[in-house]
Amino acid sequence: MTKNIPIKTLFATLLFSAFLSSLSASATETVAEEHLSAEKEKITATIRQIKSYTAALTTFRDTFNAIPGDMSRAQVRLPHCNAVLCPALPGNGNGRIGDSTARKIELFKDERHLFWVQLANSSLIGGVDNTLSAERAWGSAFPSSPLGGGFQIYDGDDSQFPAASEYAPKANGVYAILSNSLNGDLSEPDAHFLTPIQAAQLDRRIDDGQPLTGSIIAVGDPVCFTHRNGVFQYDEEGAGDKKCLSLYIRLQG
């Protein structure tokens, strides 16, 4: 024989079930808020890091009248440098960091790597290994980013940005490349790791918030951009969480 459940018991059960549901929803909201807070902190830390590279580059040029990575006789002008750590390369002293071509960076034989070595040897930046034990990795030969991936250097010569949209402006100046390519080659299949939301937040806080204008130029999967009101923009709604973009961030020029 089936027993009738008392009304009070049934009501208490329903209240408890609702209480558990509210706890679950509250926990979900808390996790989401913590994620947003962590992302905001990473964006802020990345911006701080970029500004430190701008300041380091300016200080180096003002102090030594040379560009880091391109310095002539760096082995005798910089502390802790020698002929191996700071070798004399054919392009040293020509006012350019490398030659704007995307190719494998040979450690201690490429000005794009020596850029970081010479800044570190001058005590202007941290986060890189400026000894012969440096490895081709983020946080070793090249600085890592709080968002993932890391930074390479690119010196524009007033030609098109490598791997950029045809609508992008010409590259002119010294840029930090924020990507997942240890060679600074944004045509590599796994080069892009930023989402449109992350890229847009960085762009808005440093520049004008537009992917193809100003001091930040975005490169990546075309599906991560959109045209809205006649303006080329980051697709934060349709592809907001897709890891599909890299950024050229002008430091000087």
Side-chain angles (χ1 to χ4, degrees), residues 184-231:
D185 183 354
L186 302 188
S187 66
E188 294 178 347
D190 298 325
H192 310 305
F193 78 97
L194 291 169
T195 68
I197 290 176
Q198 291 171 327
Q201 288 177 343
L202 286 168
D203 202 330
R204 280 193 289 266
R205 291 183 59 181
I206 296 175
D207 191 29
D208 60 3
Q210 305 301 321
L212 295 183
T213 61
S215 62
I216 292 183
I217 301 299
V219 174
D221 192 331
V223 303
C224 293
F225 301 106
T226 186
H227 279 87
R228 188 178 297 113
N229 300 323
V231 180

Side-chain angles (χ1 to χ4, degrees), residues 100 154-162 169-172:
S100 301
Y154 175 77
D155 194 342
D157 59 355
D158 207 31
S159 59
Q160 190 71 25
F161 285 96
K170 300 295 179 65
N172 192 350

